[in-house]
Amino acid sequence: MTTCSSSSSSSSSSSPRKLQYPIDDNDWISKLPDELLQLILSKLSTEEAVRTSLLSSRWEDVWKWRSHLVLDMNKVLETTPDEDLHRVSVELARSMTKAINNYRGHLERCIIQHYVSQCKDGTLQSWIHSVTRLEHTKDLTLVNYIPATRRCTRASLLSLLPDTFSHHSLTSLSLCGYTLIGPRAFSNCKNLKTLKLINVVISQAGVLSGVLAACSSLEVVVLKVNFLTPRGVLKIENNNLKFLQLSFLYEIDRMEVYATCLDVLDIRCIKVKRDNFILVAPNIQVNTNAWLDDHGCIDCPHLYYHVSSYLAQEEKNIWHELLVSDFHDMRRSGCLSVSVDLTDPEDVDILKEVLLMWTDLLMEFEILFKNKKSPIEEGECSTNDRTHAKPFLNGDLWFYNVWLYNFDGSNDEEFAFASHLLMQKTVIIKMMIETSSFPPTKKLNAEAAVAKLMELPKRYKHFIECF
């Protein structure tokens, strides 16, 4: 009997197969169609689903066609004495291998949590081959369990054969708790769309650059890594990349990001000097960067989000789940920069969702108003009352500082947004409005709108300035 995790799996989507077994007339459950039995098993953990094979011959093969497989030895290892960890893990690995070999369907998702011994004896390599080449797993998560008393990087070394992750069916890969000293396992990985490296130690920044270069089709990258050699250059160059999340504690010499389609840059913590951080991403505008000072020592999370109404709902859900990961109560802290069109209802809905991710205090809030189709021609100024447009911010979120870019003063939605921030007393320190980049006539209109904002009733003595 394999020992697996107790977490539930999602509904099965594997192609059903009609199984023929003699059925006891009194066994009403076993008379149910295979599709319904598979639906029942999809609500169970992998361990519980495997156990149903003991009920009768009718149930013996049903679990083997689930679309999700979770094999987890950590639950047992956490209560195993240190001196027995290797022996117990080897026994558990045999059961896990049997479960993988007995599986019959194609896997949507597979999670394997193992001990360091399987990194060294070839078992992990064999598992990856089986679940990718034979069972065509789409989403693979590998977690290496290392007891708190044994933080040995060499023991968790991920040494795999070239092309290990290159099977065309594999589109999402998550690795947790390993040490990487080379990119060869990632060679020819044009199949991957999502890569997450969580609590991974990498020999040097150049190795990570090589891994990302080999995965040229990546759209989502999550990096929570450290480097054995805290120097070097990290280069990310990918025109398919849309979502990038960065977190590493040790300073590196230089970081370069070239991503023409990047819509989300989520910086949790990076240490690189200001002049050595190069970002070429047309959709991401870095104006203030509180996460980065001249010494590269500030750890203030900063989210840059280019709001797009063309974003598919499923893709947006995945992004938003990643954006709140690792934060207490799934609520973010730090700073936010967004580019948004307030005249687009879908853009506004996404902005609402993003703001709901925050705690009650947002350190710095930058908003870049996209170029929009305004009914008011340049040179004209709206004279109607624009302070009573329906707001979408509640009073629970406060901002230390607000920075408005491309605010031309002639757009009702933008004026209502700015006035709402002030009248709802959500701005604590100051509101800065950029007008210096406008041509003369447009600059005058924007400054006139700012003057009207300064006349609004306010609880605090806000410093509203043009820059």
Side-chain angles (χ1 to χ4, degrees):
M1 178 70 63
T2 183
T3 302
C4 311
S5 76
S6 59
S7 59
S8 297
S9 299
S10 302
S11 299
S12 172
S13 62
S14 297
S15 300
R17 178 190 180 192
K18 196 68 178 175
L19 305 173
Q20 300 296 330
Y21 294 103
I23 300 175
D24 188 332
D25 288 339
N26 296 322
D27 187 359
W28 292 99
I29 294 181
S30 293
K31 291 181 180 180
L32 296 174
D34 291 340
E35 295 83 356
L36 186 53
L37 292 181
Q38 290 175 12
L39 178 61
I40 294 172
L41 293 188
S42 72
K43 307 300 181 182
L44 304 178
S45 69
T46 303
E47 181 180 13
E48 293 167 333
V50 173
R51 286 175 179 170
T52 62
S53 62
L54 301 177
L55 296 176
S56 71
S57 57
R58 175 73 171 82
W59 288 79
E60 185 174 350
D61 284 339
V62 178
W63 73 269
K64 301 175 183 178
W65 297 89
R66 287 158 44 102
S67 65
H68 295 66
L69 186 64
V70 182
L71 302 171
D72 180 7
M73 64 172 65
N74 293 2
K75 185 176 180 180
V76 175
L77 296 181
E78 285 174 353
T79 58
T80 300
D82 284 359
E83 60 271 16
D84 295 329
L85 283 173
H86 172 72
R87 177 184 57 80
V88 173
S89 73
V90 171
E91 294 173 359
L92 294 172
R94 292 194 189 102
S95 297
M96 291 167 63
T97 299
K98 184 178 180 181
I100 291 173
N101 292 341
N102 285 338
Y103 195 81
R104 296 292 179 266
H106 285 177
L107 286 167
E108 291 288 327
R109 179 169 61 94
C110 180
I111 300 174
I112 299 177
Q113 302 193 55
H114 63 90
Y115 185 53
V116 294
S117 299
Q118 286 71 58
C119 292
K120 298 186 289 185
D121 63 9
T123 301
L124 180 61
Q125 180 77 61
S126 176
W127 286 340
I128 297 171
H129 179 273
S130 295
V131 299
T132 57
R133 261 61 177 179
L134 303 181
E135 291 155 9
H136 294 188
T137 300
K138 294 181 179 179
D139 183 349
L140 176 61
T141 297
L142 302 174
V143 181
N144 176 44
Y145 172 76
I146 305 176
T149 55
R150 294 187 179 182
R151 296 297 180 185
C152 178
T153 57
R154 181 171 297 180
S156 59
L157 181 65
L158 189 65
S159 181
L160 300 171
L161 297 174
D163 299 345
T164 293
F165 300 115
S166 64
H167 192 268
H168 63 85
S169 65
L170 185 63
T171 58
S172 178
L173 176 65
S174 301
L175 301 177
C176 179
Y178 299 96
T179 297
L180 291 176
I181 60 172
R184 69 173 190 166
F186 297 87
S187 56
N188 300 314
C189 277
K190 296 180 181 179
N191 49 295
L192 288 180
K193 301 293 185 181
T194 299
L195 178 63
K196 303 175 190 175
L197 302 180
I198 309 298
N199 297 332
V200 171
V201 178
I202 302 176
S203 57
Q204 55 184 339
V207 170
L208 180 55
S209 299
V211 169
L212 298 175
C215 306
S216 58
S217 300
L218 287 173
E219 297 178 2
V220 175
V221 173
V222 176
L223 301 176
K224 186 177 180 181
V225 302
N226 283 316
F227 301 103
L228 292 176
T229 303
R231 291 295 175 185
V233 178
L234 174 59
K235 184 175 182 179
I236 301 174
E237 187 171 7
N238 187 332
N239 289 333
N240 295 305
L241 189 61
K242 299 178 182 179
F243 181 103
L244 178 60
Q245 186 177 97
L246 299 171
S247 178
F248 46 89
L249 299 177
Y250 299 142
E251 184 176 353
I252 59 175
D253 293 325
R254 184 178 178 87
M255 181 172 182
E256 303 175 8
V257 178
Y258 305 92
T260 57
C261 292
L262 189 65
D263 284 327
V264 176
L265 175 61
D266 184 11
I267 296 178
R268 302 295 181 86
C269 174
I270 65 173
K271 295 187 184 302
V272 59
K273 293 182 179 179
R274 184 186 302 273
D275 293 340
N276 292 331
F277 179 80
I278 308 299
L279 175 66
V280 180
N283 293 337
I284 304 296
Q285 180 171 326
V286 177
N287 296 302
T288 62
N289 42 8
W291 49 270
L292 187 65
D293 67 0
D294 290 334
H295 304 287
C297 294
I298 293 183
D299 301 343
C300 182
H302 199 137
L303 171 61
Y304 300 87
Y305 198 130
H306 175 75
V307 177
S308 173
S309 58
Y310 298 104
L311 184 62
Q313 182 67 36
E314 181 179 0
E315 191 174 22
K316 183 190 70 174
N317 291 342
I318 293 172
W319 289 9
H320 289 190
E321 182 178 347
L322 290 171
L323 290 176
V324 295
S325 63
D326 298 330
F327 282 100
H328 179 65
D329 291 334
M330 307 296 280
R331 301 291 296 275
R332 289 185 64 101
S333 59
C335 306
L336 171 64
S337 300
V338 297
S339 56
V340 64
D341 179 1
L342 293 183
T343 65
D344 186 331
E346 293 187 37
D347 272 28
V348 172
D349 286 341
I350 295 175
L351 179 57
K352 289 180 184 179
E353 291 185 34
V354 173
L355 289 173
L356 286 173
M357 297 177 188
W358 253 258
T359 57
D360 56 357
L361 180 62
L362 206 161
M363 299 293 293
E364 301 281 339
F365 181 34
E366 291 184 309
I367 182 165
L368 170 66
F369 299 111
K370 297 180 186 176
N371 292 323
K372 53 271 170 191
K373 300 177 287 294
S374 174
I376 301 175
E377 298 296 328
E378 183 174 333
E380 299 180 6
C381 183
S382 175
T383 57
N384 60 317
D385 185 357
R386 299 175 288 165
T387 63
H388 299 293
K390 184 178 180 181
F392 61 85
L393 291 172
N394 57 45
D396 297 330
L397 184 61
W398 289 23
F399 309 93
Y400 267 146
N401 296 304
V402 175
W403 304 75
L404 305 182
Y405 297 87
N406 202 28
F407 176 81
D408 60 16
S410 63
N411 181 276
D412 288 346
E413 287 79 3
E414 293 175 11
F415 188 91
F417 178 85
S419 62
H420 176 72
L421 291 180
L422 297 171
M423 295 178 67
Q424 294 298 314
K425 311 162 188 174
T426 57
V427 182
I428 298 176
I429 306 298
K430 64 180 178 180
M431 176 181 285
M432 299 293 294
I433 303 177
E434 181 199 35
T435 59
S436 59
S437 61
F438 290 153
T441 302
K442 197 171 184 180
K443 182 178 180 181
L444 287 175
N445 290 336
E447 290 176 344
V450 171
K452 290 185 177 181
L453 288 175
M454 297 180 73
E455 296 173 359
L456 295 173
K458 298 174 285 291
R459 177 180 177 184
Y460 300 100
K461 293 182 179 179
H462 300 297
F463 293 94
I464 305 175
E465 299 179 9
C466 297
F467 70 97

